[in-house]
Amino acid sequence: MDHQPSTRRARWRDRGRHFARPARADVLAEDLAAGDDPVPAELDDLVEAWGPDVRAREASQVVASPPPGRAPASGTAGANGPKAGDAPGAVGAEPAVVGPGGAVRTAVPEVAEEAGEEGVQGSDPQPGGLPAPAVARARPRPLVRPVRAPAPRHSTRRRCTSWELAGVALIGLGCALALFHQAWQHPFSSQVGANGDAEEYSWFFSWVPFAIGHGLNPLVSHYVGYPNGVNMMWNTSVLLPAFLLSPLTLIWGAAFSYNVALTLAPALNVLFGYWAFRRWAGRLPALAGALVFGFSPYMVSQSVGHLAQTLIFSAPLMMVLADRLLVVQRGRAWLDGLLLGLLAWAQLLTGEEVLAMEAVTALVALAVLCLVGRAQVRDHLRRARTGIVVAAGVAVVLSAPFLAYQYLGPDRVQNPHPGNAYVSDLLNFVVPTNITKLAPPSALAVSSHFTGNGSEQGAYIGLPLLAFIVLAVVVGRRRRVTWVAAGTAVGAALLSMGPTLHVDGHVTKFPLPDKALQALPVFHNLLPDRFAAMMTFGVGWLVALGLEAVGRAHRWPTGAKVVPWLAVCTGLAALFPITNYPAAASPLYAAFDTGFSCPPRGTPAPSGLPPVVLMLPADNELALRWQAEAHFCFVMPSDKGMTGSSRATSGPPTALFNLGNNNVALPPLTLATRHAVASQMQSLGVSELVVAPEAPAVPTWTPDGQAKLVVWVEWLLGQAPLQSPGPYISYSWKHLPSFADIASGHVGTVPGEA
């Protein structure tokens, strides 16, 4: 009966077979240069001592040393060492390497331990960078002792402990709570940021649990933009976060869920950024890079009201999975592909725009990786083929229903922003805006010229970090990962500058790469300046790599290593955000929270939908939150804040939807006006009309403007309204006269008429 060799014997047999080749220094150096991973410090010393072009140094050679326990003969070979003509590594020879200065040292200890945090661990190194021979152990020795080679690529990726991640999570969460402390003083009645787009997210957080609980399709809603409705896939609807936070929304309200999500966004960015950067860097360098990524000016500016654009922690997760699949290639490729496909699907339901930017930036990074590692491209792609197919298959299968509803379903009309307005100005990379604490007045005067608005001006890096990034590339130029990170940062920065160059607010005709991107279908919907999210990820990556490279630069004196850290600390100080981050009041309005605005029972309603309520002014985004607070007891024609195709926002201005709008005077109540308003109300099936309360955070909607609109509607309908309780008063007309009477003027009066 055949007897299988033991696992230990098989392992030694494989090692001897693998390392039987000549252990020349140039082969060792080629193995080191082939990977982009950090290698043990001992081997770094060896390569640095031999110089960059070890192939040209023929002085490197392999000699034999006597096995332990045998007396060496004169010279460099033992009594039983190799004879003339013997190949290196022959039986009885102890491989050794002639290092600089002619020193002869054993190349490898007996057992190569797996790399830990500080590289390959073993016995203490001797002068010259190579470890001393390990003490022989009482076990069978292989016929050929292996030369110590670099640890396998997968073993040189550093790992985080659970305590590390817990500490970083607390740091990120503490910084986020400190940044948004004003909102968290009243988390149920105020929201992080400003009114406007935040109301849209409050509606999304309420709509998802309402739709699921009532058996409705969460991907489309006819409760706003009635009768056309709104396609959620064309909006920043954060479907997955809204679903996950549904318990909080049902218990404490949408405002609280919104605050939780917006606070967790930078904290999660820091946590997963640290976990990703830690693969190539130590604790402090990885933490510095994660803080740059998680609390960049981009994050601080987008947090004013753009939740979907702050949930970008999928970028470091995708980077780790891509590294495992394309570079490290350890473990099951199909499993990495499965996780990557699931992550892409999850990001689609969190923020489709972010997913598109990640895909474009990943192509840039992949092109750089193929360029710097072109010798290994074919072999690595062959090994990664299974994972790539699985990732694409999972992402396509899971995303297909949602994308089909977006591009083939109802309400597909897009409403993109101007493609050359929301861009990163060239000066924005070095000039801070009003969301940074230390921005001087002269800088604010310059940034006021930038196009777009403050929430879309987040490309600031600062001179200290820019100088350090240049140093990081120079110091780490021998590592492929440095060039991939640099390509990520530079490529995303160029794309964020839009189709043409902007300098100090002046729009030039100089074309940029985003011009070609906007020519592609669908991609013209991307706001270019938001590529700054991927740029800050690349910048944080370079900060971690640069600090790690400086710390491992053995030729640098200790004092010189302090200078880069000072530059990074200065850069972090320059990015420090404002300490009085805005918080918008979000009180509960009795007109909606108590059901006062809900139409009475038996009111005519569209089939399967609640009655139609016309909210005036129609361009007030707060109406979205008020409808959610009223538990969707009515539908409304307006959809201010949504991306859709309803006549309220996409069609030509009408008399009905202009009533009470800012800077639009109330029209004279003529028969023509009556007829136009009555016809529009009839076509929409309006059964109730509500004049919204004065909002504390909307200064354009004043008590005077509200009073004038109430009087105008009284003249139109000939009825006095019902007044809601509470400090914020709204007015409701629940029993409307016939549309024919409204059009003919049989109801209502005008001052001066009998």
Side-chain angles (χ1 to χ4, degrees):
M1 180 176 180
D2 294 338
H3 179 70
Q4 296 294 333
S6 65
T7 303
R8 179 176 297 175
R9 291 179 58 189
R11 183 166 63 248
W12 278 107
R13 178 195 62 198
D14 294 340
R15 287 187 177 184
R17 181 181 303 166
H18 177 70
F19 292 110
R21 61 180 180 177
R24 301 193 334 265
D26 55 344
V27 175
L28 179 60
E30 285 178 4
D31 288 343
L32 292 175
D36 59 351
D37 312 323
V39 296
E42 300 91 338
L43 298 175
D44 273 345
D45 290 341
L46 176 63
V47 176
E48 184 176 352
W50 263 311
D53 190 10
V54 295
R55 188 181 295 276
R57 304 193 180 193
E58 297 298 334
S60 303
Q61 55 184 328
V62 174
V63 297
S65 60
R70 297 191 182 182
S74 59
T76 58
N80 295 322
K83 306 300 185 295
D86 286 347
V91 176
E94 177 74 3
V97 179
V98 179
V104 180
R105 298 180 180 86
T106 303
V108 192
E110 184 169 293
V111 180
E113 299 184 13
E114 189 166 328
E117 177 186 330
E118 300 300 330
V120 175
Q121 300 174 357
S123 52
D124 295 335
Q126 293 180 349
L130 290 174
V135 178
R137 300 178 183 179
R139 63 186 181 195
R141 300 176 60 83
L143 296 179
V144 179
R145 297 190 64 211
V147 176
R148 182 166 189 149
R153 290 182 181 180
H154 63 264
S155 65
T156 55
R157 288 289 192 267
R158 301 183 178 186
R159 296 182 178 181
C160 303
T161 65
S162 57
W163 289 107
E164 276 185 69
L165 295 178
V168 172
L170 290 177
I171 292 174
L173 184 60
C175 292
L177 290 173
L179 177 62
F180 305 135
H181 69 278
Q182 293 197 112
W184 281 100
Q185 292 176 8
H186 307 283
F188 305 104
S189 60
S190 62
Q191 290 178 318
V192 175
N195 282 110
D197 291 338
E199 318 307 332
E200 178 184 353
Y201 286 104
S202 293
W203 190 92
F204 291 141
F205 275 104
S206 300
W207 167 251
V208 171
F210 175 81
I212 295 176
H214 290 77
L216 302 176
N217 183 0
L219 300 183
V220 66
S221 176
H222 295 282
Y223 281 68
V224 291
Y226 178 83
N228 295 341
V230 172
N231 192 323
M232 294 296 106
M233 291 303 297
W234 276 115
N235 287 267
T236 55
S237 49
V238 290
L239 293 171
L240 184 58
F243 173 75
L244 296 177
L245 294 178
S246 292
L248 299 184
T249 303
L250 296 174
I251 297 174
W252 290 296
F256 181 76
S257 294
Y258 177 79
N259 290 334
V260 169
L262 203 51
T263 303
L264 286 177
L268 291 175
N269 294 344
V270 170
L271 174 63
F272 291 113
Y274 176 87
W275 181 63
F277 301 155
R278 189 70 173 81
R279 294 170 67 83
W280 293 276
R283 294 188 180 93
L284 289 180
L287 180 60
L291 290 175
V292 170
F293 171 55
F295 290 94
S296 65
Y298 167 85
M299 281 293 301
V300 177
S301 61
Q302 293 290 336
S303 297
V304 172
H306 301 158
L307 172 62
Q309 282 67 45
T310 64
L311 296 171
I312 57 176
F313 54 84
S314 61
L317 294 177
M318 288 184 178
M319 183 264 283
V320 170
L321 290 174
D323 176 56
R324 287 172 53 89
L325 185 61
L326 299 176
V327 180
V328 175
Q329 298 190 324
R330 177 192 184 187
R332 300 177 178 89
W334 67 267
L335 181 58
D336 292 333
L338 174 64
L339 295 176
L340 189 58
L342 290 173
L343 186 59
W345 171 73
Q347 183 57 58
L348 174 71
L349 300 185
T350 301
E352 188 175 2
E353 184 179 34
V354 172
L355 177 62
M357 293 187 299
E358 287 174 338
V360 174
T361 308
L363 290 177
V364 175
L366 182 61
V368 175
L369 178 61
C370 292
L371 181 63
V372 298
R374 51 190 175 274
Q376 294 83 25
V377 169
R378 179 176 300 179
D379 181 59
H380 280 245
L381 287 180
R382 179 180 58 82
R383 296 181 181 180
R385 180 173 52 197
T386 301
I388 294 173
V389 171
V390 171
V394 170
V396 169
V397 170
L398 294 180
S399 303
F402 300 93
L403 294 177
Y405 209 88
Q406 178 176 1
Y407 292 100
L408 303 177
D411 195 22
R412 301 189 304 273
V413 178
Q414 304 173 38
N415 185 23
H417 294 283
N420 202 21
Y422 298 97
V423 303
S424 297
D425 194 287
L426 180 63
L427 298 184
N428 194 192
F429 296 102
V430 294
V431 175
T433 62
N434 58 0
I435 53 94
T436 55
K437 179 68 174 179
L438 302 179
S442 57
L444 297 180
V446 174
S447 63
S448 64
H449 301 157
F450 299 161
T451 57
N453 56 52
S455 64
E456 304 291 349
Q457 297 168 354
Y460 178 62
I461 301 175
L463 290 176
L465 277 185
L466 284 174
F468 177 78
I469 288 173
V470 174
L471 175 65
V473 173
V474 172
V475 175
R477 65 189 181 277
R478 297 182 184 277
R479 300 176 67 188
R480 291 185 305 194
V481 66
T482 301
W483 294 106
V484 175
T488 300
V490 174
L494 287 174
L495 290 171
S496 75
M497 298 172 71
T500 60
L501 182 65
H502 289 221
V503 182
D504 195 18
H506 300 289
V507 182
T508 69
K509 296 183 179 180
F510 187 81
L512 293 173
D514 185 64
K515 187 173 184 178
L517 186 64
Q518 290 197 12
L520 299 176
V522 181
F523 282 93
H524 65 279
N525 288 303
L526 297 179
L527 290 186
D529 71 281
R530 293 177 179 175
F531 273 101
M534 302 298 104
M535 178 199 70
T536 57
F537 174 68
V539 170
W541 197 359
L542 282 173
V543 167
L545 292 173
L547 290 175
E548 178 69 11
V550 168
R552 295 167 59 87
H554 303 292
R555 292 183 177 180
W556 285 40
T558 304
K561 294 182 180 181
V562 178
V563 176
W565 275 101
L566 291 177
V568 171
C569 292
T570 305
L572 288 173
L575 302 182
F576 197 82
I578 54 177
T579 54
N580 58 337
Y581 201 85
S586 180
L588 293 175
Y589 291 78
F592 307 98
D593 184 56
T594 62
F596 170 83
S597 61
C598 293
R601 295 177 179 269
T603 303
S607 177
L609 294 175
V612 180
V613 173
L614 177 63
M615 298 284 295
L616 297 177
D619 68 342
N620 190 350
E621 292 188 54
L622 284 168
L624 293 172
R625 185 164 64 84
W626 293 334
Q627 184 192 41
E629 289 179 358
H631 306 290
F632 297 96
C633 66
F634 59 85
V635 300
M636 56 185 184
S638 61
D639 63 353
K640 177 65 176 179
M642 298 284 190
T643 300
S645 61
S646 82
R647 66 194 71 188
T649 55
S650 300
T654 61
L656 186 63
F657 291 105
N658 279 335
L659 294 176
N661 289 354
N662 187 32
N663 299 324
V664 178
L666 292 171
L669 199 56
T670 62
L671 285 177
T673 302
R674 284 178 172 275
H675 186 272
V677 171
S679 298
Q680 294 167 22
M681 292 177 63
Q682 184 176 13
S683 65
L684 295 172
V686 175
S687 59
E688 180 180 347
L689 194 150
V690 175
V691 173
E694 171 204 356
V698 184
T700 57
W701 183 229
T702 61
D704 181 62
Q706 183 190 41
K708 290 180 179 179
L709 181 57
V710 169
V711 171
W712 193 93
V713 176
E714 283 183 340
W715 293 345
L716 175 71
L717 303 179
Q719 296 179 2
L722 299 176
Q723 181 175 318
S724 69
Y728 306 109
I729 301 174
S730 67
Y731 300 87
S732 173
W733 289 262
K734 295 182 178 294
H735 302 283
L736 302 180
S738 68
F739 299 117
D741 289 343
I742 296 175
S744 63
H746 291 167
V747 295
T749 58
V750 177
E753 292 185 351

